[in-house]
Amino acid sequence: MSDGRDLDARRDLDGGQDLSAVDDHTLAAALATEAGDLLLVIRDQGGAIGDQQSNQLLLRRLAQTRPDDAVLSEEHTDDRARLGHDRVWIVDPLDGTREYGEPSRDDWAVHVALAVDGRPAVGAVALPAADLVLHTGAPPALPARPPGPNRLAVSRTRPPACVDHLVGRLGAALVPMGSAGAKAMAVLRGQVDVYAHSGGQYEWDSCAPVAVAAAAGLHVSRLDGSPLRYNEPDPYLPDLLVCRPELAGAVLDALRDL
């Protein structure tokens, strides 16, 4: 996988480079790439094995390359020692297990992020089946918005309560898709205009996508417009908004009616 820019994360890993010496952005992209490559190889073994193997790879690599940092992973017990650290890697080894289990789908992801003092400072989102890695080291330019109604990314199985409200207020068209990372990156890729979620998530669901989206100039916040904070004692995050910056005011105004 490659992001089409100046980073060849697979070469860095396979070429034997000491990743402990690279910057955090390069490391996040390289690890997301390697985990994504692994998931593609073992995809026929199912999501449970994919989650487990990807998690083990990421934890091992982070222990090797950033031994002084803490880690919060969806697939690893949270011992809360991370609360005493300023630097915490927040990872989702496989975002979109359901989609991963359907071989024709590419809307699943790997998230690797670094929160510094609670802020999503570094992130990489790999979309392995789409052969794409988006990361904070080289955030892509936001494509121009095409004419037509606002496009709203929505879960194909569990649309949150805010969706119907936004459809009515914004005259939005729904675009069903899979994982949280895929939906957030769809805004960045110009496939949709808004991703709003009110059904509850965890820090690993959004930290990497939020870091990448913010680095590219998108609006990121809670649904009430307040900042997103990470490495909290309770990693549950009730809601999320990622949208094109020119639509943020209208979306937030509409959400205030909820």
Side-chain angles (χ1 to χ4, degrees):
M1 288 179 293
S2 158
D3 66 352
R5 291 171 179 263
D6 59 348
L7 176 70
D8 186 344
R10 183 185 287 120
R11 180 193 62 208
D12 289 344
L13 289 166
D14 295 343
Q17 178 179 343
D18 179 5
L19 289 175
S20 63
V22 304
D23 65 73
D24 292 327
H25 303 283
T26 301
L27 177 62
L31 297 186
T33 298
E34 186 180 17
D37 286 346
L38 170 65
L39 287 167
L40 289 174
V41 170
I42 64 173
R43 191 171 187 177
D44 62 353
Q45 299 182 41
I49 296 298
D51 263 321
Q52 179 186 65
Q53 294 295 317
S54 179
N55 184 62
Q56 290 176 359
L57 183 153
L58 291 172
L59 294 182
R60 184 173 67 253
R61 293 295 197 202
L62 287 168
Q64 292 168 347
T65 58
R66 297 294 189 270
D68 295 329
D69 295 347
V71 181
L72 172 65
S73 170
E74 180 182 19
E75 300 300 323
H76 189 68
T77 302
D78 180 11
D79 65 7
R80 297 170 68 91
R82 61 183 173 81
L83 299 176
H85 289 254
D86 297 329
R87 290 169 49 93
V88 180
W89 292 88
I90 300 178
V91 302
D92 191 340
L94 174 53
D95 177 52
T97 306
R98 182 193 301 266
E99 290 73 24
Y100 179 73
E102 300 178 24
S104 63
R105 301 197 67 91
D106 64 5
D107 49 348
W108 53 277
V110 176
H111 300 174
V112 179
L114 173 65
V116 179
D117 295 327
R119 182 177 65 87
V122 170
V125 178
L127 301 169
D131 194 29
L132 186 65
V133 179
L134 300 164
H135 62 94
T136 50
L142 181 63
R145 183 184 175 279
N150 293 314
R151 299 160 298 166
L152 180 64
V154 61
S155 172
R156 62 193 182 100
T157 57
R158 300 178 300 276
C162 64
V163 167
D164 288 341
H165 183 76
L166 286 176
V167 168
R169 284 292 306 270
L170 300 177
L174 297 181
V175 181
M177 60 183 66
S179 77
K183 288 194 278 283
M185 294 301 94
V187 183
L188 182 51
R189 298 168 70 188
Q191 298 170 324
V192 297
D193 305 305
V194 179
Y195 169 41
H197 184 81
S198 61
Q201 291 180 336
Y202 289 87
E203 292 186 7
W204 47 76
D205 292 310
S206 67
C207 192
V210 162
V212 177
L218 294 179
H219 171 88
V220 297
S221 72
R222 299 280 303 275
L223 292 185
D224 63 2
S226 60
L228 291 151
R229 297 288 299 176
Y230 293 88
N231 195 34
E232 294 293 295
D234 183 353
Y236 180 75
L237 260 176
D239 51 69
L240 170 71
L241 173 62
V242 178
C243 70
R244 297 182 66 93
E246 69 269 25
L247 297 178
V251 174
L252 289 169
D253 284 345
L255 289 169
R256 289 189 184 100
D257 294 341
L258 281 174

